[in-house]
Amino acid sequence: MASVFFDWIRGSALDRGSKTAYTDIEHSVTFSDIEKLSAAAATWVAKRSEIERPVAVMGGRNVYTPACYMGVARAGCFYAAMDPEVPHARLEQIMSVTQPKLLIVDREHLETAQSLAGDHEIAVMEEVFKTEPDDALVAERERSVTEMSPLYMIFTSGSTGTPKGVLTSHHSMVCYLDSLNEVIGLDETDVIGNQAPLDYIAAIRDMYLPLMTGATTVMIPKNEFAMPDALFRTLNEYKVTTLCWSAAGLEIPAKLGGFADGRPEYIKRIVFSGSVISNKYLRIWQENLPGVLFVNQYGPTEATASCTYYALEDVVNDDTVLPIGIPYKHYQILMLTHDEETGAYSATPQGEIGEIWVKGPCLAIGYYRSPEQTDKVFMQNPLNSEYPERIYNTGDIGHIGEDGNLYFHGRKDRQIKHMGHRVELAELEAYALTIDGVTECASLYDKKRQLIYLFYSGPATAREITVSFRADMPAFMVPRKIVQMEELPHLPNGKIAMKSLSETIG
């Protein structure tokens, strides 16, 4: 049986062909356009590639990049998403892992594509779309695809310094969007405001929910996120109802005083994820948009975007500890405790901190061309010796509260042993964000010199931060090195670039 994903593409063209699917302010495409463009791209790829092979797609954040992604999938292949705006060295690393025979690039970024090493054919996306569709060939290729065939490869940071290509199936993507929409309830009257780069896992919501629900996605200009007035004007002009943004992307307009002179008038729901959001900025959104559904999501790329959610019931205050909630349908969460001496795992009692593991059909296939890395985190359920059951170790820790919700405590590898005590660096960051004058922060540990660092931005002084820590925290949890920065470095997905910060401390 061919993928449900293809049914979405063709069904959208039949049911709502003239309706706008995507707009990037400069251009718009209908659902019918998407079907035709993807059929052309599928024909071009199918004539040049075997099935289930990677095709690198390097497109900008525009309406045509998703159509190219779909074309690669309809050709029976899977796309490796590449953002042309990331550093050249990163692109080279992605190409070295992917080793594609085909690289499709939009005309604007052709020079960047030509600078990349490798034995591959380069094609301009605009020219690919001029291919005359071969309906019989496309149908044959679609039939070769199963629900478990790979759909896309998205790259995440690797501990070895080489990015990992997370390979995800058609079935996992469809299951995730089905889970998400059960909670947020989009339909063809909705308009999604896209914030995420299209090579980032969060973008699958913005690209593919329209195919599933009939909604429209507006790709908001990147520069507007630093200009709240322009951002809110765009949200209102296109009557955007739905934001699926990173926590960092949601915080920026609030930090910059975006609600001083106006607000988005049509928002019905806001879904945020990617990092722990500041209560201070979340409260600004909640107070200015009463009646809007706010949903906190948690989950890694390896579990197809997000695996748990929490729908907020009340406006947060400074002391609110926001849960990451309960599993979406199609997911299960296991809390495990690892005995370092014996290597054995056991179920973590409710209320105690344990490792967060995920199971279900939304798990990724694994890391492309990296079986050792895959086997380290995609493992047999250690609590099940009766039959094969694959689960994923997130590397995060948390606990299940008395209310049944999962609470996040940070990365397991961010728990340090300092002055004989276990310290969670995430806890230090969470506390620092409660201090007046701290806008953003990140904590690191120099194990060699046994120093806790706190990097921050905002008008607060290092002395004010130290005084506050000393008033509320034990001495061993007070950062010894407090570094003020005009702005912390960020990755393309909005998260703080921790590796860049670590390089500053040696």
Side-chain angles (χ1 to χ4, degrees):
M1 184 179 71
S3 171
V4 170
F5 184 44
F6 302 148
D7 294 338
W8 288 358
I9 297 170
R10 289 190 301 270
S12 294
L14 289 172
D15 297 341
R16 48 184 82 92
S18 61
K19 186 177 188 291
T20 298
Y22 309 118
T23 180
D24 60 18
I25 310 301
E26 293 182 0
H27 305 96
S28 293
V29 291
T30 66
F31 286 103
S32 181
D33 293 333
I34 288 294
E35 196 283 326
K36 292 174 183 176
L37 290 168
S38 63
T43 300
W44 187 91
V45 172
K47 291 180 177 180
R48 291 164 175 79
S49 176
E50 299 174 350
I51 65 170
E52 297 193 344
R53 301 305 304 159
V55 176
V57 178
M58 188 162 65
R61 200 158 142 265
N62 59 62
V63 298
Y64 299 108
T65 299
C68 192
Y69 289 165
M70 293 178 218
V72 171
R74 295 181 72 183
C77 298
F78 58 93
Y79 65 87
M82 298 176 66
D83 181 355
E85 302 299 326
V86 305
H88 187 270
R90 173 78 169 185
L91 295 175
E92 288 279 17
Q93 288 179 319
I94 291 174
M95 290 295 285
S96 70
V97 172
T98 307
Q99 296 183 12
K101 291 183 178 180
L102 302 175
L103 168 58
I104 303 176
V105 60
D106 57 25
R107 195 179 305 280
E108 180 184 355
H109 300 101
L110 178 58
E111 187 175 338
T112 298
Q114 291 172 332
S115 70
L116 298 174
D119 182 19
H120 52 265
E121 177 183 351
I122 298 176
V124 175
M125 193 180 296
E126 290 86 341
E127 297 301 315
V128 168
F129 286 142
K130 293 178 182 178
T131 304
E132 183 67 26
D134 184 332
D135 293 339
L137 175 60
V138 174
E140 178 187 346
R141 283 303 189 97
E142 287 184 350
R143 284 194 297 271
S144 73
V145 174
T146 73
E147 292 292 345
M148 302 312 297
S149 296
L151 171 60
Y152 61 74
M153 180 158 59
I154 289 178
F155 285 83
T156 64
S157 298
S159 58
T160 63
T162 300
K164 297 179 292 189
V166 181
L167 199 58
T168 301
S169 72
H170 287 243
H171 186 58
S172 293
M173 186 276 290
V174 169
C175 282
Y176 167 65
L177 293 185
D178 177 54
S179 301
L180 172 63
N181 206 51
E182 183 181 64
V183 174
I184 64 176
L186 265 64
D187 61 33
E188 60 186 12
T189 66
D190 284 301
V191 179
I192 303 167
N194 164 254
Q195 175 246 343
L198 300 187
D199 70 318
Y200 181 48
I201 186 61
I204 69 167
R205 299 188 280 263
D206 305 334
M207 291 190 293
Y208 303 139
L209 275 173
L211 301 177
M212 177 185 177
T213 67
T216 295
T217 286
V218 177
M219 297 178 183
I220 301 167
K222 182 178 179 181
N223 64 315
E224 291 190 1
F225 286 90
M227 300 184 296
D229 289 347
L231 174 64
F232 288 1
R233 277 198 303 271
T234 295
L235 294 178
N236 287 332
E237 178 183 351
Y238 289 91
K239 298 183 179 180
V240 172
T241 66
T242 306
L243 307 180
C244 297
W245 289 2
S246 70
L250 203 62
E251 288 178 352
I252 292 172
K255 290 178 184 178
L256 299 177
F259 291 94
D261 300 312
R263 69 184 190 121
E265 298 290 342
Y266 301 93
I267 301 296
K268 297 179 180 178
R269 58 188 73 80
I270 296 177
V271 180
F272 53 95
S273 56
S275 58
V276 178
I277 194 167
S278 164
N279 287 353
K280 177 167 52 178
Y281 301 120
L282 176 57
R283 184 168 62 248
I284 291 173
W285 279 89
Q286 288 183 291
E287 289 176 344
N288 282 278
L289 299 178
V292 167
L293 171 67
F294 287 83
V295 179
N296 183 25
Q297 285 195 135
Y298 159 82
T301 303
E302 290 86 346
T304 315
S306 298
C307 52
T308 70
Y309 73 97
Y310 177 75
L312 280 70
E313 297 178 354
D314 302 305
V315 175
V316 299
N317 57 47
D318 291 343
D319 299 323
T320 300
V321 178
L322 201 62
I324 54 177
I326 61 175
Y328 279 116
K329 75 173 183 180
H330 303 311
Y331 289 93
Q332 285 183 278
I333 297 296
L334 287 78
M335 302 300 296
L336 302 181
T337 298
H338 186 218
D339 188 315
E340 300 291 345
E341 292 186 6
T342 65
Y345 284 92
S346 59
T348 305
Q350 182 171 342
E352 294 186 13
I353 295 176
E355 299 178 16
I356 303 172
W357 294 64
V358 187
K359 72 173 183 175
C362 296
L363 292 187
I365 296 169
Y367 302 122
Y368 189 62
R369 298 179 62 236
S370 185
E372 291 184 1
Q373 289 290 321
T374 300
D375 291 344
K376 284 182 180 179
V377 291
F378 292 92
M379 301 167 58
Q380 168 66 24
N381 181 354
L383 305 185
N384 180 5
S385 61
E386 304 300 322
Y387 58 87
E389 184 180 38
R390 187 168 173 265
I391 63 175
Y392 171 71
N393 183 357
T394 66
D396 295 330
I397 56 176
H399 82 275
I400 303 293
E402 292 183 2
D403 58 3
N405 283 302
L406 177 60
Y407 288 80
F408 180 73
H409 287 264
R411 294 289 298 172
K412 181 182 179 184
D413 55 14
R414 299 202 71 216
Q415 184 185 82
I416 64 171
K417 194 72 173 292
H418 178 61
M419 297 175 64
H421 300 273
R422 294 193 182 276
V423 177
E424 294 290 347
L425 295 179
E427 182 180 357
L428 304 186
E429 294 164 350
Y431 175 77
L433 288 172
T434 68
I435 301 172
D436 287 340
V438 174
T439 304
E440 193 171 32
C441 69
S443 184
L444 292 173
Y445 187 58
D446 184 340
K447 187 174 182 180
K448 183 177 180 181
R449 287 176 285 187
Q450 296 188 346
L451 294 175
I452 296 176
Y453 278 72
L454 182 74
F455 297 87
Y456 77 99
S457 63
T461 66
R463 175 174 172 76
E464 289 170 340
I465 294 172
T466 300
V467 169
S468 186
F469 264 93
R470 286 177 175 169
D472 295 328
M473 294 282 187
F476 65 86
M477 293 182 69
V478 178
R480 290 286 302 278
K481 295 289 185 180
I482 300 177
V483 181
Q484 186 178 32
M485 307 179 75
E486 184 173 336
E487 184 178 359
L488 271 64
H490 290 83
L491 298 170
N493 61 21
K495 293 183 180 181
I496 295 173
M498 303 299 283
K499 184 176 180 181
S500 296
L501 290 176
S502 67
E503 290 172 351
T504 68
I505 67 176

